[in-house]
Amino acid sequence: MIFLVQLKKNSPVVAIAGCGWTGLPLGKKLSIDNYQVKGSVRHDEKITILNNAGITPYLMNLPDEVNKRFFTENDFLVISIPAGTKSGKGKLYLESIREIIKQLKLLSPGLSKVILLSSIGIYPHDEGQWTEDSGFELESDKQNIIRTAEKLIQENFENNLILRLGGLMGYDRYLAKYYLKKDILDIDPTPVNYVHRDDVIDVVIEGIQKDHRGIYNVVAPEHPPKYEVIQNSAHSKSVKLPPSGKKLTPESRTISGKKLMNEWDFGFKYPDPNRFWSN
């Protein structure tokens, strides 16, 4: 089923598979920037929300329920679907990626680029700094699912962009929110690897507008300790944290976003996760 909004003549068509927490504001900004935007949703109640954002909504529940109109005559496609590694739906995610590839090849032969929103979850939880060029073994199901999805896109589309996103934060996602119901809040000095949603959206739009290809980490350049981010987000949101507990041993793992900053000359609006919620 399709629900049309007024399309913009002679504007590039960007299809966003998965108009959720990131895909919806991305589509809204692209529409404001005069792109024709198509978005897939799984539930009827999202239809009006997408229409109001200037996005043409398509009901679709991959991998079994496919809306062929969504895949027809697109210039760009952004895959913003969770990998399902936390919910045990990784197999369905990979089946969805394969179905997306199949439909694009049939219905959008003139496609300019595919952008996959991947995850830094591909990197091991070992000490050190990890970059796009780091060598490592894929030891977990999570790592294998993420890498398989990336390889499927790389092998099927010459012009591809893989964005390995850090922990998505900003707006209603603030770190303290996930600790409010604990009895004791242990002090965790582990450096965070987060990114603000607005910066992710800016990176995706630049990836559409310019000839960027390959794999890039999208992570804020500063990595403050986790307990600092919890405290600062609690202060910004005026919520009360549980009493402090023991100090944990930090996991000294950071993900570098320097390649993106250097090769794209990209500047983060929110370089410090301590200030994600300060305005």
Side-chain angles (χ1 to χ4, degrees), residues 128-149:
Q129 184 178 85
W130 298 94
T131 74
E132 296 86 345
D133 297 322
S134 297
F136 54 89
E137 297 294 326
L138 301 175
E139 298 179 346
S140 68
D141 288 343
K142 177 180 181 178
Q143 289 175 288
N144 277 290
I145 288 166
I146 294 169
R147 185 59 188 136
T148 299

Side-chain angles (χ1 to χ4, degrees), residues 2 24 57 67 84 93 111 117 129 132 134 142 177 191 218 274:
I2 178 175
L24 175 60
N67 192 320
Y93 170 69
L111 195 72
L117 302 190
Q129 184 178 85
E132 296 86 345
S134 297
K142 177 180 181 178
K177 177 180 181 179
V218 187
N274 275 321

Side-chain angles (χ1 to χ4, degrees), residues 78-148:
V78 180
I79 302 174
S80 182
I81 302 174
T85 54
K86 291 182 179 180
S87 59
K89 296 181 180 179
K91 183 179 178 182
L92 284 175
Y93 170 69
L94 292 179
E95 290 176 4
S96 297
I97 296 292
R98 293 185 176 96
E99 187 62 36
I100 287 170
I101 292 168
K102 174 185 172 182
Q103 296 300 330
L104 286 176
K105 286 182 173 291
L106 288 171
L107 302 172
S108 287
L111 195 72
S112 295
K113 183 183 288 185
V114 174
I115 299 176
L116 173 67
L117 302 190
S118 187
S119 169
I120 61 167
I122 194 171
Y123 296 111
H125 279 270
D126 296 335
E127 290 196 4
Q129 184 178 85
W130 298 94
T131 74
E132 296 86 345
D133 297 322
S134 297
F136 54 89
E137 297 294 326
L138 301 175
E139 298 179 346
S140 68
D141 288 343
K142 177 180 181 178
Q143 289 175 288
N144 277 290
I145 288 166
I146 294 169
R147 185 59 188 136
T148 299

